[in-house]
Amino acid sequence: MSRRISRNSLMGLLLAALLAVLGSACSGSDRSVSQDCPKDGPTCRTTGSSASPSPDPSPTVDVTTSTPTASPSPTVKPTPTKAPTATKKPRATAGATSASGAPAARTNCASPGDCGFPDADTTGPRIALKAKKTGYWAIRTDGLVIRGQDITGTLDIYANNVTVIDTRITSDSWWGINLRPGYSGLKVLHSTITAVPGKGPDNGGVDYAVSNMGVSSIEVGWCDVSVFGDALSMGQGNLHDNYVHDIVPFINLGGEWQHTNTVISGGGNTGHLIIRHNTLLNPTSLKQGASGSIGLFADTGVVRNVTVDDNWIAGGAYALYGGDTGATGIRVTDNIFSTEYHPGSGGYGVVAHWNAGGAGNVWSNNRMSDGRLVKPEPAS
């Protein structure tokens, strides 16, 4: 009896081992796989995100306009559903440092996204765009939320607290979105803003992706912006987590190459301009009107109260124009100046017109993409 029991036990163990082998062969790889992971991918990429400075607007607002002068617009029920984000690139790991003292994950990167900065994977609409609209659209309804739209044309905003979110705008005019004087509260979030070269009114060129003509701050965040010559134009605002790239140079109506900047401010501002954690690329050549990646110019008054923090910056004649001799309250900290277009980041260097002695001006821990510290020359 004892021999039979022992033999049966041995057969049971052999059968269990055989079933385990067959189960492993049927299951394929033993790596962790989610439903969003591509079948041929080695692993699922982690999701990176930045904390939003403001919550998404209410998902119950209809997209409508009350003015008879605007082009008819469809009524669209916005949806809070987000597209899967499992394929977005992993963000840089905080804490690790290189021999130079710069964070290791933020130096010697093949692309901005590899260093944790915004790119095509982390900007633009998060939902499918279904509603179509063509032509000039004057917005005159306070609190309007425009979501899920695919717009070929422009938005001209004569209203307060308008939000454009999860939308694509393809402009054929001076601007993509323009806030008129006297109005405030504009937010442009998770959207793509681009243009059709050759279709703009300035000899075929296009100038401003988002223009703030008012005297109050606006917010532009997680947007994919391309083509426009002076892409983000304003004296005050909160520009964060945007990817500005592929500017298209053009000869303006005056017969000259239009100067190009990814962010431009003409001075005279009364509020605060915050430029934080953006990828700002100006590939325009020096012969075709390159100005800056960030241009802080005293064209209409003194430049004051600007924060330039934690951006990936490349291109322009100089990568940064710092506000000139009268500038005050300019803080430039923890930025990476990339050499992807020029050895000095800009064609002539990193920074021009920096007012080192201006009240409240700070230049700290700004580095080239290989980790070298950058020290600005004084304003001339």
Side-chain angles (χ1 to χ4, degrees), residues 203-296:
N203 207 23
V206 284
D207 288 284
Y208 311 113
V210 181
S211 171
N212 180 10
M213 298 177 68
V215 294
S216 65
S217 181
I218 70 173
E219 181 183 356
V220 183
W222 303 284
C223 289
D224 185 324
V225 179
S226 61
V227 178
F228 294 92
D230 283 326
L232 302 177
S233 174
M234 62 198 69
Q236 41 269 321
N238 181 9
L239 311 179
H240 63 88
D241 301 284
N242 300 293
Y243 175 44
V244 186
H245 60 102
D246 293 312
I247 287 174
V248 176
F250 62 92
I251 296 175
N252 60 25
L253 289 172
E256 300 175 337
W257 284 104
Q258 180 71 19
H259 288 168
T260 59
N261 302 271
T262 62
V263 177
I264 185 170
S265 176
N269 56 303
T270 57
H272 194 178
L273 177 60
I274 300 171
I275 307 167
R276 176 170 286 131
H277 198 248
N278 303 279
T279 297
L280 304 174
L281 308 178
N282 185 355
T284 308
S285 73
L286 296 175
K287 294 181 179 180
Q288 293 180 306
S291 183
S293 281
I294 299 177
L296 307 179

